[in-house]
């Protein structure tokens, strides 16, 4: 396996009850590693979801080549990126296809049993996540006040036929304020959520060209997210070996097979 | 006044379980449907699948999030309400009747007694700030 990007994790303190711990304590974050192919880049986050418990994880990913990931229930299709057809791999999260190339791909895995994700309604969770992302982007790039959360009323149900995530609109999009009067806000980032048991996964795709992020600056963005989550300390690490091994198994069993990705 | 039917049991994760004709009918509560918001897709298991209490039997996508559906009881899936996939509004209109999802032949019927009764589930909702 081409060693994928790395992650980050944060524990809710070395003592005390996580539900009552204001300071989540140690956070360990996976460093950004070598770029990976599509399936190998998506699967580790699912394995982290299985083992993360009360620990925050933030995982950054790079791509060896442009790739497309499909929303959980989106009909299968392949995309041409950079003039070349690319196989698609399915994500856990919903929404439309994301064409990955030079953008910042960042996944947060967090427990839902305590603030800020102690809510049931997906819209509430999405609000919290979008505000976190906006704050982290605003303070770790030069965007400052020009980045905002789109707001408005959800209309995703009417947009399931729109394949490309960046052509869909959501109240939780990260957008740039229009420079000209009457212009539409430009979408520079999208979020999608998945819940399993007491864990929440937030997958995000942020366009680097419009935000000033770069592979080198992604770390600062991820660190800022950890700070906003009130992680006591942030630890960068490679993806743990046990997660690499179980991710390889999942790639071999599911995501690495075109038939599995085509199941819809 | 509560709209929570008292003829069935509830999981703290908001699924309901109703014993009928030797099977357990499973769905999700009105509260859960309302919290999920606009529903986009549902993925249910196939007949014959094994399910375990507390483990996922399907997934539901609403605006911005895919959530697992957890089985309140262990057993074998005997019937699947496949029509729901094309009629998700049924869940909104009739979460406790026409919005049923699967019927299970329980392998551990005693698990049903471990679930919440309607009044206890209502108290949970109050604690969650309904």
């Amino acid at each position: 396996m081409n060693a994928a990007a790395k992650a980050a994790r944060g524990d809710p303190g070395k003592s005390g009850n996580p539900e009552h711990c204001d300071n989540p304590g140690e956070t360990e974050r996976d460093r950004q590693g070598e770029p990976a192919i599509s399936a190998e880049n998506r699967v580790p986050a699912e394995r982290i979801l299985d083992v993360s418990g009360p620990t925050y994880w933030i995982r950054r990913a790079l791509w060896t080549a442009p790739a497309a990931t499909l929303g959980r229930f989106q009909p299968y299709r392949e995309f041409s990126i950079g003039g070349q057809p690319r196989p698609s791999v399915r994500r856990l999260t919903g929404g439309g296809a994301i064409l990955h190339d030079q953008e910042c791909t960042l996944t947060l895995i967090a427990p839902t049993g305590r603030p800020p994700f102690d809510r049931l309604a997906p819209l509430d969770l999405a609000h919290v996540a979008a505000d976190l992302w906006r704050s982290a982007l605003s303070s770790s790039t030069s965007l400052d006040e020009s980045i905002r959360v789109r707001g408005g009323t959800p209309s995703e149900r009417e947009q399931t036929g729109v394949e490309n995530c960046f052509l869909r609109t959501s109240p939780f999009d990260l957008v740039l304020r229009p420079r000209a009067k009457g212009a539409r806000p430009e979408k520079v980032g999208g979020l999608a959520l998945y819940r399993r048991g007491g864990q929440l996964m937030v997958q995000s795709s942020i366009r680097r060209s419009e935000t000033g992020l770069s592979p080198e600056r992604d770390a600062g963005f991820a660190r800022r997210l950890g700070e906003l989550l009130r992680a006591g300390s942030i630890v960068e690490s490679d993806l743990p070996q046990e997660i690499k091994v179980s991710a390889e198994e999942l790639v071999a069993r599911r995501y690495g097979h075109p038939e599995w990705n085509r199941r819809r | 006044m509560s709209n929570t039917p008292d003829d069935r049991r509830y999981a703290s994760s908001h699924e309901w379980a109703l014993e009928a004709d030797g099977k357990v009918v499973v769905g999700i509560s009105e509260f859960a449907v309302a919290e999920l918001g606009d529903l986009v897709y549902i993925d249910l298991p196939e007949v014959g699948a094994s399910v375990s209490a507390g483990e996922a039997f399907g997934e539901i996508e609403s605006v911005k999030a895919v959530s697992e559906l957890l089985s309140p009881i262990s057993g074998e899936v005997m019937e699947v309400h496949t029509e729901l996939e094309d009629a998700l509004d049924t869940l909104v209109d009739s979460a406790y009747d026409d919005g049923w999802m699967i019927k299970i032949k329980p392998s551990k019927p005693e698990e049903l007694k471990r679930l919440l009764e309607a009044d206890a589930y209502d108290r949970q909702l109050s604690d969650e700030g309904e």
Side-chain angles (χ1 to χ4, degrees):
Chain A
M1 173 174 167
N2 185 356
K6 307 176 183 179
R9 68 173 194 247
D11 289 327
K14 291 171 180 167
S15 62
N17 183 335
E19 278 75 24
H20 298 96
C21 185
D22 288 335
N23 182 340
E26 179 183 90
T27 297
E28 188 168 315
R29 182 158 42 81
D30 181 33
R31 288 190 299 268
Q32 191 160 260
E34 294 301 312
I37 63 169
S38 54
E40 292 166 354
N41 237 347
R42 276 305 183 198
V43 171
E46 181 168 348
R47 285 312 198 197
I48 294 169
L49 188 71
D50 292 335
V51 301
S52 57
T55 303
Y56 291 124
W57 287 72
I58 299 169
R59 182 167 186 274
R60 293 175 284 131
L62 292 173
W63 303 83
T64 48
T69 60
L70 298 174
R72 189 67 173 166
F73 296 104
Q74 196 174 13
Y76 186 87
R77 68 153 289 192
E78 293 184 355
F79 291 84
S80 179
I81 313 172
Q84 290 198 24
R86 306 284 180 181
S88 297
V89 65
R90 204 164 284 283
R91 307 189 300 271
L92 268 185
T93 52
I98 302 174
L99 311 185
H100 301 275
D101 192 357
Q102 297 301 314
E103 100 291 8
C104 168
T105 303
L106 191 143
T107 301
L108 167 70
I109 293 164
T112 54
R114 64 168 189 266
F117 296 114
D118 55 338
R119 301 134 197 258
L120 176 64
L123 294 184
D124 292 343
L125 293 168
H127 268 299
V128 171
D131 279 341
L132 270 172
W133 255 251
R134 184 202 57 75
S135 297
L137 264 178
S138 173
S139 56
S140 59
T141 66
S142 57
L143 290 170
D144 201 13
E145 294 301 311
S146 59
I147 184 105
R148 65 177 177 85
V149 178
R150 186 190 299 273
T153 306
S155 60
E156 275 92 336
R157 201 170 172 179
E158 289 77 50
Q159 299 179 68
T160 53
V162 181
E163 292 171 322
N164 186 332
C165 161
F166 273 88
L167 298 180
R168 295 187 182 192
T169 60
S170 160
F172 312 103
D173 290 340
L174 298 164
V175 298
L176 295 180
R177 293 181 195 280
R179 290 182 187 140
K181 196 174 180 182
R184 290 184 176 180
E186 183 180 7
K187 181 173 180 176
V188 295
L191 307 176
L193 281 58
Y194 183 85
R195 285 192 298 193
R196 171 179 289 171
Q199 305 301 120
L200 175 72
M201 172 191 285
V202 183
Q203 290 186 318
S204 68
S205 181
I206 313 289
R207 288 190 162 157
R208 287 204 172 100
S209 54
E210 290 86 353
T211 59
L213 285 175
S214 64
E216 296 73 30
R217 294 184 73 172
D218 289 352
F221 175 46
R223 180 171 288 275
R224 184 65 188 134
L225 264 184
E227 291 166 357
L228 291 167
L229 287 163
R230 303 171 77 185
S233 62
I234 296 173
V235 178
E236 291 199 15
S237 74
D238 291 332
L239 202 60
Q241 186 62 21
E242 66 269 23
I243 290 180
K244 282 185 185 173
V245 170
S246 63
E248 286 171 6
E249 182 271 331
L250 197 54
V251 168
R253 187 159 51 86
R254 288 186 178 173
Y255 293 82
H257 293 284
E259 316 85 64
W260 189 84
N261 291 301
R262 286 194 179 102
R263 72 194 195 284
R264 278 187 177 271
Chain B
M1 185 178 159
S2 168
N3 290 325
T4 308
D6 60 5
D7 59 350
R8 63 198 74 193
R9 299 278 186 137
Y10 298 83
S12 57
S13 48
H14 306 285
E15 293 82 9
W16 54 260
L18 173 67
E19 210 169 4
D21 302 326
K23 297 174 192 167
V24 174
V25 189
V26 173
I28 61 173
S29 72
E30 268 184 9
F31 174 78
V33 173
E35 288 289 290
L36 285 170
D38 274 354
L39 304 174
V40 185
Y41 294 105
I42 190 168
D43 187 33
L44 296 172
E46 295 186 353
V47 170
S50 291
V51 293
S52 299
E55 301 286 319
F57 70 84
E59 293 175 323
I60 192 162
E61 181 173 350
S62 56
V63 171
K64 291 322 287 179
V66 176
S67 303
E68 287 190 334
L69 300 163
L70 304 182
S71 181
I73 194 162
S74 306
E76 180 184 347
V77 176
M78 305 300 288
E79 288 184 55
V80 179
H81 194 180
T82 51
E83 292 83 2
L84 270 187
E85 293 173 7
D86 297 317
L88 282 166
D89 284 340
T90 307
L91 273 173
V92 180
D93 299 335
S94 180
Y96 292 121
D97 293 302
D98 297 338
W100 68 274
M101 294 176 175
I102 56 173
K103 295 182 182 179
I104 297 172
K105 180 182 177 185
S107 57
K108 299 174 185 171
E110 67 277 12
E111 287 174 341
L112 205 57
K113 294 191 178 73
R114 294 182 204 151
L115 299 170
L116 301 171
E117 293 186 330
D119 55 353
Y121 179 64
D122 280 338
R123 282 197 297 276
Q124 176 187 314
L125 297 187
S126 298
D127 292 344
E128 288 181 10
E130 187 191 29

